[in-house]
Amino acid sequence: MTTMTQTSARFREFKMPDVGEGLTEAEILKWFVQPGDTVTDGQVVCEVETAKAAVELPIPFDGVVHELRFAEGTTVDVGEVIITVDVAPGSEDAPAPAAAAPVQEPVEAAPAEEPKGRTPVLVGYGVAESSTKRRPRKGAAPEAAAVAAAVQAELNGHGSAAPVAPVVPQAPVDAPPVGRPLAKPPVRKLAKDLGIDLATVVPTGKDGIITREDVHAAAAPAAAAAAVAPEVAEPVAVSVPETPATVGSARETRIPVKGVRKAIAQAMVGSAFTAPHVTEFVTVDVTRTMKLVAELKEDKEMAGVRVNPLLVIAKALLVAIRRNPEVNAAWDEANQEIVQKHYVNLGIAAATPRGLIVPNIKDAHDKTLPQLAAALGELVATARDGKTSPAAMAGGTVTITNVGVFGVDTGTPILNPGESAILAVGAIKLQPWVHKGKVKPRQVTTLALSFDHRLVDGELGSKVLADVAAILEQPKRLITWA
């Protein structure tokens, strides 16, 4: 009992924090430290990917890294311990390091036949002893049970009582005792989805832990075996079919849904099936807006900031919201209220290497044109670098998505959850247009406004879209209407 107290006092655990607002999990992208490395308070030890951002995690104390609990690429729940640190490395009462094989403390149990290596304790199932007998799985075929028993005896060094199918993989000398297979929760879920029994998988991970690669390796022979002998109750790892495992390998690729893609999927499904969407369209001559953009690029007041059509479009939307403030609202289902927002946090949909994110410019309604241009530039640069924080993506009220950069004319955008409207901007193209009674080549684009019909009526939505179009057609309205 004293040892446990001393160990607890000496080793400190660092848990996966909630780096955003209400996030429940994060994927470990990269470790910057390894066991044995010295760390100091505030030093970044790893990078994790949350719902929509990559975040670096600093450790809040000094010491020497004792153990990394999860490998890179693992999705970890908030609150799970991810690293342990020895905060008193000079003490003599320390337990063996994480990678050491023998355990120094005596065990008050039946004497074991040989010293046991340290078996990692994974969440939810503790340490298993080799002498522990497992209850047979429901539905297991007698043949599979016999093979499993033979493999158990072979790994325990007692030899095989009966002939076993050929090619028995030899476990490493320091592998953990065979009991419940050691695998982390995401790997267990993957095995379940693929129909793989973890007891038949040969582990290659540290301390005998089954990895994702092990499961995928076992899935290929299992698929081929199922095709050759579908009546076999359970695939056995020791039986290797001669038929090449080509089913699906060249025609399909399975990508785990996690991180940004998982967040996008949840948000879009939640929005599409919660808010009744209405989308309206308008095609507008933006020739004068393009001339204004060219003039602003030469203006010394705009020096050092990026000027493009999106800047003027953003300002036009902000003016339209000022003229129609009811559109800047949110639906509170729990309290059955419409929440009017007296500020505009303008979201800008940004395509990044990790997927679509929607950071927003806080209090965009209060910014001058140069300030808005600077905020847009910073927002886009941060997003493309993958450094957008969860806070930067929270609290948006209205969003702009510029599909025109891909050469697309328009679309029917889905609302960002918690917002009432989203404006899609199409490609600006030179087209024939009736101008002052004559057909002339003009620069034209199509705008699409989707809005939540629970709180935005057709009249209100139409007014907002018409105001944005009118400003882009006559940019001087930015002055007269503002």
Side-chain angles (χ1 to χ4, degrees):
M1 201 68 180
T2 304
T3 303
M4 290 293 294
T5 305
Q6 292 174 346
T7 302
S8 299
R10 175 171 176 178
F11 291 91
R12 296 189 62 179
E13 299 176 335
F14 180 57
K15 300 179 180 180
M16 177 67 74
D18 180 359
V19 295
E21 297 182 359
L23 296 177
T24 60
E25 63 183 16
E27 177 188 353
I28 298 176
L29 295 180
K30 184 177 181 180
W31 283 107
F32 298 118
V33 296
Q34 294 297 325
D37 291 351
T38 300
V39 294
T40 57
D41 186 359
Q43 178 180 338
V44 174
V45 294
C46 67
E47 182 182 29
V48 301
E49 184 179 53
T50 63
K52 287 191 176 182
V55 181
E56 294 180 340
L57 297 183
I59 199 157
F61 38 79
D62 301 336
V64 175
V65 177
H66 178 67
E67 182 182 12
L68 306 181
R69 294 289 182 89
F70 297 96
E72 294 177 356
T74 305
T75 300
V76 182
D77 291 337
V78 169
E80 290 277 6
V81 176
I82 60 175
I83 182 174
T84 57
V85 174
D86 183 353
V87 295
S91 301
E92 297 180 355
D93 58 346
V103 175
Q104 301 298 328
E105 298 180 8
V107 180
E108 298 178 2
E113 296 181 5
E114 58 183 14
K116 303 296 181 183
R118 180 189 180 280
T119 302
V121 182
L122 299 183
V123 177
Y125 48 89
V127 178
E129 295 293 338
S130 61
S131 61
T132 302
K133 296 183 179 180
R134 292 191 300 144
R135 181 182 300 173
R137 295 184 303 278
K138 294 182 179 180
E143 295 82 356
V147 171
V151 173
Q152 172 76 39
E154 183 70 22
L155 294 178
N156 284 344
H158 305 313
S160 178
V164 187
V167 192
V168 177
Q170 187 66 33
V173 176
D174 59 347
V178 175
R180 184 178 182 189
L182 296 179
K184 296 170 183 175
V187 178
R188 290 185 175 278
K189 184 178 185 303
L190 174 63
K192 181 179 179 181
D193 294 341
L194 296 179
I196 299 299
D197 181 2
L198 288 177
T200 66
V201 178
V202 179
T204 62
K206 182 180 178 181
D207 296 324
I209 296 177
I210 297 173
T211 66
R212 286 179 176 271
E213 291 72 19
D214 298 335
V215 175
H216 284 299
V228 175
E231 295 183 0
V232 177
E234 198 171 353
V236 182
V238 295
S239 213
V240 181
E242 297 180 359
T243 306
T246 59
V247 179
S249 60
R251 297 171 62 87
E252 295 181 352
T253 300
R254 289 184 174 268
I255 303 173
V257 178
K258 56 185 179 180
V260 174
R261 179 53 51 192
K262 182 177 180 180
I264 293 172
Q266 292 174 342
M268 293 300 97
V269 170
S271 177
F273 293 97
T274 300
H277 285 55
V278 173
T279 305
E280 295 185 340
F281 308 88
V282 63
T283 302
V284 58
D285 177 5
V286 294
T287 304
R288 291 187 178 91
T289 290
M290 298 305 291
K291 290 181 180 179
L292 175 61
V293 170
E295 293 172 0
L296 289 174
K297 289 181 179 180
E298 303 299 326
D299 193 324
K300 63 179 182 179
E301 296 294 333
M302 304 297 290
V305 297
R306 185 178 180 183
V307 178
N308 54 25
L310 180 61
L311 172 62
V312 181
I313 293 168
K315 194 65 176 179
L317 179 58
L318 292 171
V319 172
I321 293 173
R322 180 176 295 180
R323 286 167 54 84
N324 305 275
E326 297 85 0
V327 76
N328 190 42
W331 183 272
D332 187 342
E333 182 67 29
N335 296 315
Q336 288 295 293
E337 295 175 341
I338 295 175
V339 183
Q340 292 282 347
K341 306 292 180 66
H342 303 299
Y343 58 91
V344 181
N345 290 344
L346 182 62
I348 304 294
T352 73
R354 290 192 175 95
L356 175 70
I357 65 173
V358 189
N360 59 76
I361 301 172
K362 309 299 184 186
D363 295 324
H365 63 290
D366 281 338
K367 297 187 181 298
T368 63
L369 197 63
Q371 290 172 341
L372 187 62
L376 274 172
E378 182 180 356
L379 178 148
V380 172
T382 304
R384 288 178 179 171
D385 290 341
K387 301 300 182 182
T388 303
S389 67
M393 294 181 283
T397 60
V398 178
T399 292
I400 296 177
T401 176
N402 186 10
V403 298
V405 296
F406 307 109
V408 176
D409 290 335
T410 189
T412 55
I414 297 178
L415 294 168
N416 205 28
E419 299 181 10
S420 60
I422 178 171
L423 178 70
V425 182
I428 298 174
K429 299 179 179 180
L430 199 62
Q431 296 183 14
W433 193 264
V434 177
H435 177 67
K436 296 181 179 180
K438 296 181 180 180
V439 177
K440 296 182 179 181
R442 304 285 287 181
Q443 290 176 303
V444 177
T445 190
T446 300
L447 307 175
L449 183 72
S450 292
F451 50 86
D452 186 343
H453 214 351
R454 292 176 299 180
L455 63 155
V456 179
D457 294 332
E459 179 185 9
L460 176 58
S462 299
K463 285 182 176 180
V464 173
L465 184 59
D467 280 356
V468 174
I471 293 171
L472 296 181
E473 187 174 17
Q474 295 284 352
K476 66 182 181 181
R477 293 190 172 103
L478 286 172
I479 300 174
T480 57
W481 286 359

